[in-house]
Amino acid sequence: MQLQKVRLHPFAGLADRTYEFVSGMNVVLGPNEAGKSTMVNGILCALFESTTYKKRHWENSLERYVPRGGGDTFGVSLECLVGGASYRITKSWGGERRCELTLPSGQVVRSADDVDQQVASLLRLKRGTWQNILVASQSAISSTLKDFDTDGEETSDLAQILRSSAFDTDGVSIEKLERAINDQLNAVSSRWDSAAERPEKDKGKEKGIENPWKRGVGTLLDAWYEHERLRNELSVVEAHERNLDAINQQVSELICERDKLQSYVNKYEPIVNALKERQGLELKLESAKTNEKRLREIQSKWPLHESELSRLEKSLTTSEDEHGGLRKELSQAQAYQESASKREKLKLAKQAEEKLGEEKKNFAAFKGLSTQLFHDLKAAIADRDRHAASMAAGKLQVRFVPESDTKVSIKAGLKDSREEMVTRAQPLHTEADGIVTLTTDEFKFEVESGDGRFSAIKDKHESAQVSISELLSTVGVASADDAKKRETDYSIAKTNLERAETALETILSGQTLAELASSCGDDVSAPERKTEEINNAILTNREKHNQQQADGEAKRADIKIWEEEFENQDAVLDRLLDARKQKQDCEQDLKKLPPLPEGIENAEVLEVEFNLRRIRLTEIKEEELPNARNQQSTLNATEPDHTTKELTDFITEAESNYSLEKRRFESLVRLKEVFEKMKDRLDSGTLDPWMQRLSQTIQQVTSDQYTDLSFDGGGVTRSSGIVIPHELLSMGTKASMGFSIRLSMAAHFLEDLDGFLILDDPMVDLDADRQRKTADVLRDFAEQKQVILLTCHEAHAALLTDSPLRITRDGEDQ
């Protein structure tokens, strides 16, 4: 299974986010809390979490994925490829439970049990193997070496792939038996592709028949060749018979069609020749009708246009007068609006001035404090904590055995001094961070870790503590927590003061309060209508005025065209009478012509139909019928050697022979499978293939510093041959070993599967050299299998790909 796309909608802290993957290497790069782990949890839920669950499972495993912003339902959609076919899994849990599996055919499975069963079948491996080996978190990689010997599902799966048991051959030579089985199987199946049930490499165009294998052909393929050859010959004979039947039918149909067309042409040819005059008269009549209609419209509109123009001129004068009055009313309304706006601004300015005075009083309570003071306090606390951490890095263990009872004063690291009575029977055992001092009446004994720098660190720690006390006193608080609260209050007061100052400056816009009050002037009387209403009235007036102007211009243009064509309205009437006379003459001439044949409504249709049939008659007589008779003669002269009945009997016999060879082949295959299982049992549970791959991976990622892994106690073998126990390994080496184990196990699990591997920051505990080596190994692995690697480190992503999938906390992925 290869992942293509996952959509979380919503899921945990993500409202709606989609991730797309490609085959090979996929690097998901983003800061912490950007949703990388949430993405992986969404994939696991889609693959393994059923939508039928009990209350306890909901509370223990699923409830944490409910959207944080509200709602009671979360969902995931996952698209994947299995064997090149596309599947889509859609699930939702909570208030709305939903489960769908869209198959490659487009059909949808909605039963939760059926979906879970089919998804498990697609995954092939157990859920524990995917979650514990193939989907590895950062912490899981580092702890792999320590936890590898636990008994879980992944151990069972690995055993199924790598283990076997021995059996007794009772003196029979396994090699000889294997050769005999293989020889017989090869004699039957040579050059045969059993999966495709056709010849190897599918030689030739027609399943290998046109270009068959000449050498090394097994009995199964030979039987298949004979069967297919006879089938092809039957196809040729059947095609010949079909072609002959078809051409005989075609000749008969062409003769019949020819005779019908010849009869039609003989009947209608004289009629079509007499239709030319009718077509001319019909065109002339149509022109006369169109001209009459146009002249009637002009005769009707001309006097109406002249009357409407007189009315429009009066209306335009009235509209201009109304426009002047509206403009004056608008000016008065705008003056009133400007005065009211200034007074409202003055009101707001006075309120802002009062607010500024209040904030100044509040800020006065923090006199003597500054942002730099709080910054210095935090820096001193950070120095103190850093020095304390440095002291903790130098762990010391001191054992003091006196000859006689001795009272000892003990100063361990940064802790306060204490006194103990130490005897020979009860010696002193103590631990310290970095430095320890033992003082008795007779001596003072001081022990320091490393190169002696812890004394200086201790002094710096004490100096930082003194600075903290002084700064806390200046701030006026007793503890760092009180200082944080004091800083928050100070910041709020300062911000409020700045906002109040900005608000007043924004309102005044460079004026003083007195200047703004002076600019308000005297009150202006309120208009009867609002500015918006007056503007609408002006727009309506202008639209009406413009429309009237346009109507007048259009009517003048029409009258001008008519005057240029007719001079006056009397000439229009004369032309109308002429058009009517021409129409009547055409109608009389058409009545004198003979009528069309019954079923023909106009001459044009008849002429078109006649010409088409005459052309078709010529095609049949000169081309189609001669060609068909030539093909008929050729087919009659090339009759096949066998009839279809004879070939059908031959094919039945060949099918029987082919089926016999297939059963023989299947029997030999089953025999070989049984033999292989028995032979596998001779290999007594060896893990050598996996161990070799593991050893090779360890050497690659550690630059040959380590060569092998011993599962007796979780030790690792150095190149010198020394085995180092797990608990003594550095974090980087533990991470390298865990990565090597998981990658080699993943390679075995996915060897015959089209699967994927998810890793979370596998290089975070590695130095630069091991990071490069690990990246090389991962890129090689990604050439064969899909890898999805999560990281928050730009440098790690750059070692693996030039184009990572970038995700951000705000959800805008790149």
Side-chain angles (χ1 to χ4, degrees), residues 279-564:
Q279 292 175 350
L281 287 172
E282 287 177 346
L283 290 174
K284 189 175 180 181
L285 175 61
E286 186 64 29
S287 175
K289 289 179 179 179
T290 301
N291 193 29
E292 180 189 17
K293 179 180 179 181
R294 173 174 173 270
L295 291 169
R296 281 201 308 269
E297 289 179 355
I298 295 173
Q299 184 189 33
S300 173
K301 289 181 179 179
W302 196 331
L304 293 176
H305 275 29
E306 290 178 343
S307 175
E308 183 67 14
L309 280 173
S310 176
R311 185 191 67 77
L312 287 173
E313 288 174 356
K314 294 178 182 178
S315 180
L316 286 171
T317 302
T318 303
S319 176
E320 286 295 336
D321 294 341
E322 290 178 355
H323 180 70
L326 289 170
R327 297 298 301 181
K328 182 177 180 181
E329 183 181 0
L330 177 63
S331 177
Q332 294 173 350
Q334 288 174 337
Y336 174 80
Q337 186 175 5
E338 181 180 0
S339 174
S341 175
K342 288 182 179 180
R343 294 183 182 281
E344 179 63 22
K345 184 176 181 181
L346 178 62
K347 177 182 177 182
L348 294 175
K350 290 180 179 180
Q351 293 174 351
E353 186 178 42
E354 293 177 0
K355 178 65 175 178
L356 178 59
E358 294 175 2
E359 296 301 338
K360 285 181 178 179
K361 291 179 181 179
N362 294 336
F363 189 69
F366 299 93
K367 183 177 182 181
L369 300 184
S370 66
T371 302
Q372 182 61 43
L373 179 62
F374 290 108
H375 175 77
D376 293 344
L377 177 59
K378 287 188 282 187
I381 292 172
D383 285 344
R384 179 196 65 187
D385 295 342
R386 186 175 64 256
H387 295 324
S390 298
M391 289 291 291
K395 289 290 186 182
L396 285 174
Q397 291 194 9
V398 177
R399 185 171 183 269
F400 174 59
V401 183
E403 292 296 330
S404 59
D405 296 355
T406 304
K407 187 175 185 181
V408 181
S409 176
I410 305 159
K411 174 65 173 176
L414 301 177
K415 296 180 180 178
D416 295 333
S417 297
R418 71 178 193 275
E419 289 186 351
E420 288 188 15
M421 182 61 69
V422 183
T423 66
R424 187 176 183 83
Q426 294 182 337
L428 172 67
H429 294 273
T430 187
E431 292 183 351
D433 293 342
I435 186 170
V436 63
T437 303
L438 305 179
T439 306
T440 68
D441 294 337
E442 298 177 356
F443 65 85
K444 180 179 181 180
F445 179 66
E446 188 173 279
V447 179
E448 187 170 347
S449 176
D451 55 6
R453 61 189 177 89
F454 288 96
S455 295
I457 294 173
K458 178 182 177 184
D459 294 340
K460 291 178 181 178
H461 179 275
E462 293 174 351
S463 175
Q465 186 61 48
V466 171
S467 298
I468 291 170
S469 299
E470 292 174 352
L471 290 169
L472 288 175
S473 177
T474 302
V475 173
V477 295
S479 66
D481 290 339
D482 293 339
K484 288 181 181 178
K485 184 177 183 307
R486 186 68 168 166
E487 180 184 12
T488 300
D489 295 341
Y490 168 79
S491 177
I492 292 171
K494 183 179 179 182
T495 300
N496 290 340
L497 177 60
E498 292 171 350
R499 287 176 178 173
E501 291 173 342
T502 302
L504 181 59
E505 291 172 358
T506 301
I507 295 171
L508 291 176
S509 301
Q511 290 181 301
T512 64
L513 197 61
E515 290 171 343
L516 178 60
S518 175
S519 68
C520 290
D522 299 331
D523 290 340
V524 179
S525 60
E528 295 180 358
R529 292 192 290 181
K530 295 181 180 179
T531 303
E532 183 179 357
E533 294 177 7
I534 301 171
N535 278 324
N536 289 337
I538 291 174
L539 289 174
T540 301
N541 175 272
R542 287 297 86 188
E543 289 174 357
K544 179 181 178 182
H545 181 272
N546 294 338
Q547 183 60 48
Q548 289 174 339
Q549 280 187 328
D551 290 346
E553 291 173 359
K555 286 176 170 55
R556 290 189 188 95
D558 287 344
I559 291 173
K560 183 177 180 182
I561 292 172
W562 297 336
E563 288 176 342
E564 290 175 353

Side-chain angles (χ1 to χ4, degrees), residues 1 72 117 131 136 139-140 150 156-157 230 284 317 345 350 413 439 466 515 566 598 633 648 672 690 731 752 766 805:
M1 174 182 288
D72 61 352
Q117 184 177 358
Q131 289 186 280
S139 59
T150 58
S156 174
D157 267 337
L230 290 170
K284 189 175 180 181
T317 302
K345 184 176 181 181
K350 290 180 179 180
T439 306
V466 171
E515 290 171 343
F566 305 104
E598 187 177 353
S633 300
T648 301
K672 183 177 177 64
W690 173 63
M731 285 298 296
D752 297 323
L766 306 181
L805 171 59

Side-chain angles (χ1 to χ4, degrees), residues 669-772:
V669 169
R670 288 195 295 271
L671 176 61
K672 183 177 177 64
E673 289 175 352
V674 172
F675 170 79
E676 292 291 347
K677 291 179 180 179
M678 295 173 68
K679 185 172 178 291
D680 287 344
R681 295 193 185 101
L682 293 174
D683 295 331
S684 65
T686 179
L687 296 177
D688 288 345
W690 173 63
M691 291 295 291
Q692 290 173 3
R693 182 174 294 176
L694 173 61
S695 177
Q696 181 183 5
T697 306
I698 290 172
Q699 293 176 47
Q700 285 179 289
V701 299
T702 64
S703 301
D704 293 326
Q705 290 181 341
Y706 297 88
T707 62
D708 210 345
L709 186 64
S710 172
F711 292 106
D712 296 333
V716 181
T717 305
R718 291 187 64 90
S719 56
S720 61
I722 299 174
V723 177
I724 302 176
H726 171 271
E727 61 270 12
L728 298 182
L729 296 174
S730 66
M731 285 298 296
T733 302
K734 290 178 183 178
S736 294
M737 295 305 108
F739 169 77
S740 300
I741 291 172
R742 286 183 180 273
L743 190 66
S744 59
M745 291 176 71
H748 267 289
F749 290 143
L750 300 178
E751 186 169 9
D752 297 323
L753 300 179
D754 188 14
F756 60 88
L757 174 64
I758 299 179
L759 296 173
D760 186 4
D761 257 338
M763 299 186 288
V764 70
D765 293 324
L766 306 181
D767 58 34
D769 181 65
R770 289 188 181 177
Q771 288 176 8
R772 288 191 295 271

Side-chain angles (χ1 to χ4, degrees), residues 562-730:
W562 297 336
E563 288 176 342
E564 290 175 353
E565 184 177 357
F566 305 104
E567 293 186 1
N568 54 52
Q569 297 183 37
D570 292 338
V572 175
L573 180 59
D574 293 340
R575 294 273 293 275
L576 175 60
L577 294 174
D578 291 341
R580 288 177 178 173
K581 178 67 169 59
Q582 185 180 17
K583 182 184 74 170
Q584 292 170 356
D585 291 344
C586 289
E587 290 173 345
Q588 291 297 325
D589 291 341
L590 283 170
K591 290 179 179 179
K592 295 175 183 179
L593 294 175
L596 293 173
E598 187 177 353
I600 304 298
E601 295 182 359
N602 60 65
E604 183 177 354
V605 172
L606 176 61
E607 184 177 8
V608 170
E609 179 66 19
F610 176 81
N611 289 333
L612 290 174
R613 296 197 184 194
R614 185 166 57 182
I615 292 171
R616 176 62 184 153
L617 176 62
T618 302
E619 291 175 347
I620 293 174
K621 293 169 69 174
E622 297 181 0
E623 297 180 13
E624 295 186 16
L625 188 56
N627 290 338
R629 283 174 171 164
N630 288 337
Q631 293 179 39
Q632 188 181 45
S633 300
T634 301
L635 289 171
N636 286 325
T638 58
E639 184 178 358
D641 296 333
H642 299 99
T643 65
T644 54
K645 175 64 171 65
E646 291 172 336
L647 287 171
T648 301
D649 294 338
F650 294 158
I651 289 173
T652 301
E653 182 179 353
E655 285 178 347
S656 176
N657 187 40
Y658 173 55
S659 298
L660 180 63
E661 290 297 328
K662 281 184 65 176
R663 289 195 297 273
R664 183 182 175 196
F665 168 70
E666 291 167 357
S667 297
L668 287 170
V669 169
R670 288 195 295 271
L671 176 61
K672 183 177 177 64
E673 289 175 352
V674 172
F675 170 79
E676 292 291 347
K677 291 179 180 179
M678 295 173 68
K679 185 172 178 291
D680 287 344
R681 295 193 185 101
L682 293 174
D683 295 331
S684 65
T686 179
L687 296 177
D688 288 345
W690 173 63
M691 291 295 291
Q692 290 173 3
R693 182 174 294 176
L694 173 61
S695 177
Q696 181 183 5
T697 306
I698 290 172
Q699 293 176 47
Q700 285 179 289
V701 299
T702 64
S703 301
D704 293 326
Q705 290 181 341
Y706 297 88
T707 62
D708 210 345
L709 186 64
S710 172
F711 292 106
D712 296 333
V716 181
T717 305
R718 291 187 64 90
S719 56
S720 61
I722 299 174
V723 177
I724 302 176
H726 171 271
E727 61 270 12
L728 298 182
L729 296 174
S730 66

